[in-house]
Amino acid sequence: MESTDTPGAKSSRVNSGAVLPGREARRRLRKVRMGKDVLTRLLVSIAGYGVVISLALIFIFLFAEVLPILRGANLESPTSYSNPGPAVETRYIATERYQESAVRFSADGQVNFFDPRSGEAQLEEQVGIPETATVRSFAFAEPRTRLVAYGLSDGTVAVARHEYALTYPDDVRLVTPKLEKPLGEDPVVLDDEGQPIEVLAVQESARGTTVAGYTADGRMLMARYEARRSMMTGETELTRTVHELPAPPSVPTRILVDTTMRNLLVGDAQGFLHYYDISQPDQAVIRDSKRVIEGDMVSVTAMEFLLGSVSVIVGGSEGSVSQYFLVRGDDNIGRITRIREFERHPDSITTIFPEYSRKGFVAGDAGGNVGIHYGTSARTLKIENVSENPIANLTVSPRNNGILYTDGTGQMHHAELWNRHPEVSMKALWNKVWYEGRSQPDYVWQSSSATDEFEPKFSLVPLTVGTLKAAFYAMLFAMPLAIFGAIYTAYFMSPKMRGMVKPTIEVMEALPTVILGFLAGLWMAPFLENHLPSVFTVLIMMPLAMLAMAWLWRFRPAWIKHHIPPGWEAAILIPVVLVVGWFAVWSSPLIEVAFFDGNMRQWLTDVGITYDQRNALVVGVAMGFAVIPTIFSIAEDAVFNVPKHLTQGSLALGATPWQTVIGVVLLTASPGIFSAVMIGFGRAVGETMIVLMATGNSPVVNFNIFEGMRTLSANIAVEMPEAAVGGSHYRLLFLAALVLFGFTFILNTLAEVVRQRLRAKYSSL
Amino acid sequence: MSKDKATGNIRTWFKGGDPWIWLIGGAVSISVVMVLGLLLLIAARGLGHFWQPPIVETYNTQGAQVERVLGTIRQSETVTAQSVREAGYEVPLEQELVTRYLFKLGNRDITGSDFQWYIADNLQEFRYPETAVQLERREWGDFFGYLLRVKEAGETVAEGDQAFEVLQERLDRSNDLARQAIHLERYDIGALNRSIEQARLERRRIEMIDALDGAERQTQFDEIEARVAGYNAEYEVLRQELEELRRSARRDSLVAETSGGREVEIVLADVVRASAANQMSTGDKIVEYGHRFWDFMSGYPREANTEGGIFPAIFGTVIMVLIMSVVVTPFGVLAAIYLREYAKQGPITRIVRISVNNLAGVPSIVFGVFGLGFFVYFLGGNIDQLFYPEALPAPTFGSPALIWASLTLALLTLPVVIVSTEEGLTRIPRSLREGSLALGATKSETLWKVIVPLSTPAMMTGLILAVARAAGEVAPLMLVGVVKLAPNLPVSTEPPFIHLDQRIMHLGFHIYDVGFQSPNVEAARPLVYATALVLVMLILVLNLTAIAIRNRLREKYKSAGE
């Protein structure tokens, strides 16, 4: 009997049959029990590792979503084939949206459509250049209009458009290219005197097609054509208005007309840029001239508008690439202003081509390098040597996922391009950026707008400042209340009252922030606006009234002394708080009448302080309310757990309770209080609903207590649902989330470490 | 001499530190006053929403004009005359303060503005006419006016004193018909629409199977077509039934005079509720209060959520939290057991524990972003590719949905459950564990039969706290699954019963949406307070339960441990 369960006992002699389970049964039972044990261990371990994995997953996933914005551009899988079409100079190349078709405009007016990846010919067309004329110049409008023009030797201009029809037979995409002539089959007349057009510009807008040209005899001409299809005959009718502009000071090399048809820019061989105001073409004047390339013997070799035709990218013979646009001064006259420079190419710039839907461009140089740049972020993503010969023509696909170029050897080259997030750079996120149409560099967050040529403004500065501003005012409100309250509750309050106060604070912690935000936005904001002086009354009166009460309390009659022991001060002060609060509200209109001309808000505005109804004051109070319980409970814990023998020793030496608090308790518990503040700060930084509801969410950069702000978290809540998946904006919002995550995580970890150390210290004391 | 003594007294008083103790005590008083004041404010405003105030009639003199005002008083306040002048009111120059009343006038369709401030000095004596009625309408908000007569199909059936009684009876009838119509529309026609959509998807699925040959495909198409034809026939019947109901509901109407003196005829089908406030006794008002409260809790929202009930929001919140609990409880409890009972207590376990703790401090919006990116776009997108290709490009699970909202919240509340359970596990005396093991129990037996039952209250506490946190969280939900108006509940009587791919309404989001996104915030304000009250009550009850359980637990183990 004594060894029934001992392993190795050969048989259970004493097992008297029916009473205990047999050997087999026991073994089976043991197996089942062991199986269950293993199973439990497995299950529990899976859950344990699951938590660790999901924790890591959050971080890794957020990081993975952010990572692509740090990548530069990449060129891959290059292919080459001989030029489709005649063996003459190539004037222009472009690809279609899906890179299934591309077009080459030759110097003799022949147009060839081909597959950009394989070079396979698709269609051959003619622009229609009369046999009596020769091609003297070439121009293209904004790439997305797909409009090009040939300037001819007889003063006429041949305009053509490359078009692509999309069809889906059998659910497979089919791209059919074709050539259109929007101004009719024949070239249109620009110069009535029939002089050759030496330099040409073309642009298209809702108001028609504008063509500007410089003739061989030194005149600047600008014509506007409007093609209208006649309802009756079905024929295209063309209206034409021609203006002669003042002649440029020297021979131009390049002319550009913007899409608003108000500005015309001329670049010349001396490195100057001239700005014509053509809003009234018959009174056109040169408003400004500026040297855009510095140094001797250098000239402008390439010049092109960015999307939206506001910015001009100028490439110089020494390889410099810089961006200019017109900045209006106080006199409302645009001046050509250098905005930023890009990384210099090793050789003279030969060609520039803007992106179709963003403010980026590609540039080719005489050394066979292709550079990929982006305007707003001033980023040069890549300069790669792709050829030994100068790049003659260069184009980027409409979706920025491929480039096509020629290098004057009769070969066409194609490469796939990865360039998804050029808008983002450290500089663009954190420094002042000079955005198009603004008079100076600034911090702006404006992620989207209605128009296609909108320049997204991704400066994180307004959001960061807003976040810190909200957290700062919240802490300003919460810290004194929470820390003082915690010291009092832990050290002076009677246990009975403590038992009531602590659950109240816990309830405070549990209140959903959406409730606080809604009260702040819908109740407190209008209330404070109407009773602004009461804020200041409370600030001044509250401590004074409390001190007065404390002074009076010394002279209380004996019977009160018996009934209310020390430790109930807070309860006695509740009526005082109520009375002061009521008095502040009641007296608020009187103060306004007496000191602020009857309306403090108006008075503030007159003094020059902007006042928003939903402002940092409201947020500070509401978010402070949300943060108080967090700070309170941790700080109270730290103060309460200060070893009793320390305080008793201090009291025994004759220190008053207050001196003990200052000299002993606070000193010992300060790390705990510090960690409480850190955790509270972390909560204030990440809080979303309160700021979303209690501010106007305008991304401003200031610390004015009477203005609103937009925080990182509120920004995510507002913009995330609308952000295009995978875009730069989307990833930037992920970055904001990652920053919040990392920041609060580190802050909390630090606080936790501090607290654990403190706990160890307490137990060792 | 005595003065010197007094100052000396004050100095020693300050030196002793007594005043400072009072001052820091004041911080507690302020906090407590704020919490209680906030709760009282919500309670007063929220509960006040259902109380029928008297309808006031008075005359307002503005310059030479005198206009009759009829409505209920929403608010009154004293402000400086200057700010009123800046708002465009005429106030005598010598006057510095004015009292003003905010009247709810209703009649948005007639006058354009349903709320108006009036200066008390310009108003004549308040009167409470018996014939004044307040009508809650299905559109255009409330109507205020004097009831003249009730009509049936154009013929007057009651006038004067009896009018209101007759109106109530006929209103019951029209409301009954309206309920039937809504039921028909929401459930019967809704189910039909779903079936038709199902058939469309089925057809698409068949199209996508390449293996089918033409004839076979055609037979299946024909079968579906026949079914759809059947549905359409059924739909036609229901539609006629619905029209009949609606026409019948429009039989009766009432005629009332507005404060401006215009006679207006209102069809009873457009009226939800009528009250002649000035005829009601306190008892009537209490009964009315009960009705309105019930309608609020059980009704569907109307008028861009600014009127009607919040039932779908309550339901949505509850079902989301339920699904979350089903996920988070086992996972969180097992993880806590792992950390406390199985893992080697070394630095790594400590790091994990701290990380889990810190996860609770990570801003909730971060979880929302993660949920949107990972659950919705990544998981949901892949599920759609694999299982619902026929519906593409319309997303099934690839858009914000109930399931993703629940999972995101489960992740968010995981630390709460883990921390609470761990705390419960630590409190169990070592002796119990060792006793069980000494009796020959395996580790898993000790766990399931001794430790887990003993720490159940701690797990309950954790779960309740998690539920309370989840019920109040809004920011992440805005990204992963809530919507301002969901016409259908996420459950139905047909399989799969719970529609995890639907979006839901949520109490917290409802507050945000109605309070800040609705076109008429002033009209919606009482409803927001009432909604806030429901949410606060829900969360308070949950939290107080959790606190109570926890306290009882602590007492229990205090005695067991000693």
Side-chain angles (χ1 to χ4, degrees), chain B residues 405-481:
Chain B
S406 302
L407 286 183
T408 306
L409 285 185
L411 206 56
L412 181 79
T413 51
L414 190 61
V416 181
V417 177
I418 294 182
V419 168
S420 182
T421 308
E422 260 211 88
E423 196 189 311
L425 292 174
T426 357
R427 276 177 196 282
I428 293 170
R430 219 184 147 72
S431 52
L432 283 176
R433 219 164 293 171
E434 282 162 358
S436 165
L437 289 173
L439 287 171
T442 61
K443 196 161 183 176
S444 87
E445 282 162 351
T446 310
L447 186 68
W448 295 123
K449 299 202 169 126
V450 179
I451 297 172
V452 169
L454 278 174
S455 55
T456 315
M459 293 169 195
M460 280 300 295
T461 317
L463 179 61
I464 293 170
L465 287 179
V467 166
R469 167 120 200 242
E473 203 57 74
V474 180
L477 296 182
M478 288 164 71
L479 304 182
V480 294

Side-chain angles (χ1 to χ4, degrees), chain A residues 33 37 40 44 47 51 61 506-508 510 512 518 522 553 570 573 589 597-599 656 658 693 730 744 749 756, chain B residues 16 20 22 29 35 80 82 86 334-335 338 350 358 363 369 373 377 440 444-445 448 516 525 528 539-540 543 550:
Chain A
R33 288 175 63 202
D37 199 42
T40 306
V44 168
V51 167
F61 184 79
E506 275 182 60
V507 161
M508 192 173 174
F518 133 71
L522 282 191
W553 191 249
L573 283 174
D597 309 332
N599 191 340
T656 63
W658 178 252
M693 295 161 96
Y730 177 82
T744 47
T749 308
Q756 289 201 349
Chain B
W20 306 125
W22 279 83
S29 320
V35 179
T80 62
Q82 186 57 33
E86 271 156 21
L334 287 179
Y338 175 78
R350 218 178 115 213
N358 289 348
V369 171
Y377 291 141
S444 87
E445 282 162 351
W448 295 123
F516 291 84
R525 198 178 294 234
V528 184
I539 285 164
L540 279 195
N543 268 289
R550 197 183 50 202

Side-chain angles (χ1 to χ4, degrees), chain A residues 333-347:
Chain A
I333 291 175
R335 302 240 183 302
I336 299 166
T337 312
R338 171 183 290 227
I339 302 305
R340 56 181 71 94
E341 270 199 57
F342 301 90
E343 201 177 303
R344 187 177 280 240
H345 277 243
D347 215 327

Side-chain angles (χ1 to χ4, degrees), chain A residues 33-34 36-37 40-41 43-45 47-52 54-55 57-58 61-62 477 481 484-485 487-489 492-493 501 504 506-508 510-512 514-519 521-523 530 542-543 546-547 550-551 553-554 569-570 572-574 577-578 589-590 592-593 597-599 602 614 625 628 656 658-659 686 688-689 692-693 713 716-717 720-721 725 730 734 737 740-741 744-745 748-749 752 756, chain B residues 9-10 13-17 19-35 38-39 41-42 45 77-80 82-83 86 96-97 100 331 334-335 337-338 342 350 352 354-359 361-363 365-367 369-370 372-374 377 411 414 418 440-445 447-448 472 474-475 478-479 508 511-512 515-516 521 525 528-529 532 535-536 539-540 543-544 547 550:
Chain A
R33 288 175 63 202
M34 284 307 148
K36 275 186 186 165
D37 199 42
T40 306
R41 173 179 292 275
L43 200 68
V44 168
S45 306
Y49 285 115
V51 167
V52 176
S54 52
L55 197 80
L57 186 69
I58 296 179
F61 184 79
L62 290 180
F477 179 76
L481 285 181
F484 292 160
I487 295 171
Y488 180 83
T489 308
F492 295 107
M493 194 179 275
V501 166
T504 314
E506 275 182 60
V507 161
M508 192 173 174
L511 277 179
V514 66
I515 303 269
L516 300 179
F518 133 71
L519 282 178
L522 282 191
W523 178 77
N530 287 334
M542 197 62 92
M546 283 172 183
L547 286 181
W551 177 253
W553 191 249
R554 301 178 70 206
E569 289 90 349
I572 295 156
L573 283 174
I574 285 180
V577 172
L578 290 176
L590 300 176
E592 277 191 288
V593 169
D597 309 332
N599 191 340
Q602 191 58 45
R614 292 180 184 166
F625 189 96
I628 284 175
T656 63
W658 178 252
Q659 286 162 339
T688 311
M689 288 319 282
L692 191 61
M693 295 161 96
S713 54
I716 295 173
M720 197 73 186
V725 180
Y730 177 82
F734 266 84
L740 283 177
F741 182 70
T744 47
F745 203 85
N748 287 351
T749 308
E752 186 63 30
Q756 289 201 349
Chain B
N9 251 347
I10 287 184
W13 183 54
F14 267 93
K15 231 177 184 174
W20 306 125
I21 296 177
W22 279 83
L23 271 187
I24 64 170
V28 177
S29 320
I30 294 174
S31 306
V32 169
V33 166
M34 282 197 311
V35 179
L38 185 137
L39 293 179
L41 178 77
I42 295 175
R45 294 280 178 102
E77 62 181 17
T78 304
V79 289
T80 62
Q82 186 57 33
S83 57
E86 271 156 21
E96 288 183 335
L97 296 182
R100 58 177 184 175
F331 196 46
L334 287 179
I337 291 174
Y338 175 78
Y342 282 85
R350 218 178 115 213
V352 170
I354 290 180
S355 302
V356 168
N357 254 330
N358 289 348
L359 207 55
V362 168
I365 189 79
V366 173
F367 288 92
V369 171
F370 174 76
L372 183 74
F374 184 73
Y377 291 141
L411 206 56
L414 190 61
I418 294 182
T442 61
K443 196 161 183 176
S444 87
E445 282 162 351
L447 186 68
W448 295 123
V474 180
M478 288 164 71
L479 304 182
I511 294 172
Y512 168 68
F516 291 84
V521 172
R525 198 178 294 234
V528 184
Y529 276 105
L535 183 59
V536 168
I539 285 164
L540 279 195
N543 268 289
L544 292 177
I547 291 173
R550 197 183 50 202

Side-chain angles (χ1 to χ4, degrees), chain A residues 321-335:
Chain A
V321 184
S322 41
Q323 181 177 357
Y324 288 82
F325 54 74
L326 299 173
V327 175
R328 291 188 185 281
D330 297 332
D331 51 1
N332 203 27
I333 291 175
R335 302 240 183 302

